[in-house]
Amino acid sequence: MKMAVGSFNPAKVEAVRTIFNQDELVTMKVDSGVSEQPFSDEETIEGAVNRAKNCLNESDAELSIGLEGGIVDTKHGMFVCNWGALVTRKNEVFIAGGARVLLPDSIANRLRAGEELGPVMDDFTQSNNIRKKEGAIGIFTNNRVTRAEMFQHIVRMLAGQYEYNERNV
């Protein structure tokens, strides 16, 4: 089965390839239709769904996946959030969310001021492309959970929903 994923980000592509064991996986840059730094669950979900739908529209894949990272500001502090969507040619949309981790105030304050998490994390770690490696979740969990692993969890839930639906609907 041909699949598409709306990203070239290695953490996201690895997650889809690992869970679906796909040799025929099309990776593509597609628009999320949301801000560069999604700032709520709703906006992050919308970005994931848009990426998945845009992949399907721009490819001949049977299934497509969009994965989106964002942040959520709560009374307990600011957390990273991550969402995924799987879309089929039958216009079925499956959605799943992932782990959250509290960001330090020094990071949260910069995000509230309008900066994007990826560059802030690069500056914080004095490294490049943290979002393509362990991600903020990897940094703040001491690499007990990496960005790829977090997205694998989301993709595993998407796959399970899709498989359940195929058997029971």
Side-chain angles (χ1 to χ4, degrees):
M1 169 183 340
K2 190 171 189 179
M3 291 188 67
V5 61
S7 182
F8 292 126
N9 183 302
K12 295 177 181 183
V13 173
E14 176 189 334
V16 175
R17 194 176 306 280
T18 298
I19 301 307
F20 279 96
N21 298 315
Q22 276 303 113
D23 290 327
E24 194 171 6
L25 180 63
V26 176
T27 59
M28 41 194 331
K29 181 176 172 67
V30 293
D31 188 28
S32 69
V34 299
S35 61
E36 284 294 316
Q37 180 58 75
F39 218 90
S40 67
D41 281 323
E42 291 79 12
E43 186 179 13
T44 309
I45 292 168
E46 183 180 341
V49 170
N50 289 345
R51 284 185 192 280
K53 286 181 176 180
N54 289 339
C55 272
L56 211 58
N57 291 337
E58 297 176 24
S59 74
D60 62 348
E62 297 170 54
L63 301 176
S64 63
I65 292 184
L67 298 167
E68 191 77 18
I71 53 176
V72 176
D73 211 357
T74 76
K75 68 179 182 178
H76 303 287
M78 185 176 287
F79 293 81
V80 295
C81 71
N82 299 275
W83 289 90
L86 184 151
V87 176
T88 72
R89 287 279 169 202
K90 295 186 257 181
N91 292 319
E92 299 163 310
V93 178
F94 303 94
I95 298 171
R100 295 172 186 249
V101 68
L102 183 65
L103 295 170
D105 288 340
S106 62
I107 302 281
N109 290 336
R110 290 178 66 179
L111 299 175
R112 287 184 192 104
E115 293 185 68
E116 186 183 346
L117 183 59
V120 170
M121 288 305 300
D122 286 353
D123 183 49
F124 179 79
T125 61
Q126 296 299 296
S127 187
N128 291 320
N129 292 316
I130 291 298
R131 74 176 80 191
K132 293 183 178 180
K133 301 173 196 165
E134 64 268 54
I137 197 153
I139 298 299
F140 297 122
T141 64
N142 202 37
N143 278 320
R144 290 198 179 247
V145 178
T146 65
R147 194 163 195 238
E149 290 168 332
M150 182 211 45
F151 278 125
Q152 285 175 18
H153 182 76
I154 294 169
V155 174
R156 189 173 286 117
M157 289 187 289
L158 294 171
Q161 289 177 76
Y162 170 74
E163 291 162 356
Y164 176 83
N165 190 67
E166 287 294 296
R167 281 194 318 268
N168 295 294
V169 174

